[in-house]
Structure formats: structure tokens, C-alpha cells
Amino acid sequence: RGYDDGLLTAIAVIEMLDGYLSPGRVPKWLSGPNANLGARSPLAALRAGDLPAVIGAVRVLKSGAHA
């Protein structure tokens, strides 16, 4: 089957953050609680299969808005 779908999903999210967050901040953003995800971390949301919510959180981050 090759790469795990979850890994590919995480890579896609990291690519969305590339150029916006510094490389050192990406792991912190992925693993930290996020108000836009009900205090879940983006990684927890991805593990739960909630990619649309994580994409929404990335969009909020990039827009400068806060939950």
C-alpha cells in the first residue's frame, strides 16, 4: 500500500504551513492545543479523521483571526 494515508495527510498540512510558519514553529503548532479545534491539537484532529477542521484552523491561522 505504500505510505500511510495519515502520514500523507500530515505532510499535506505541513506543506500548507510551509512559508507561513518557520520550520521550528510547525511541530509546536501541530502538537499544541488549538482553540479552533476545540482545544485539540491539529495532530489529534488528524488522527480522528477531521482533516476539514484542520484545514479550517490553518486558514484561520493564515488570516490572522483568532477563535
Side-chain angles (χ1 to χ4, degrees):
R1 168 177 145 169
Y3 288 101
D4 178 66
D5 291 340
L7 178 60
L8 292 175
T9 301
I11 290 169
V13 172
I14 291 167
E15 287 177 348
M16 291 176 68
L17 296 169
D18 185 41
Y20 184 76
L21 292 180
S22 67
R25 287 190 58 208
V26 171
K28 293 176 186 175
W29 186 86
L30 287 170
S31 61
N34 190 298
N36 297 296
L37 299 170
R40 295 180 296 169
S41 71
L43 286 177
L46 290 174
R47 282 192 292 269
D50 203 356
L51 176 61
V54 175
I55 291 172
V58 171
R59 288 182 178 150
V60 169
L61 175 71
K62 287 184 170 185
S63 75
H66 299 283

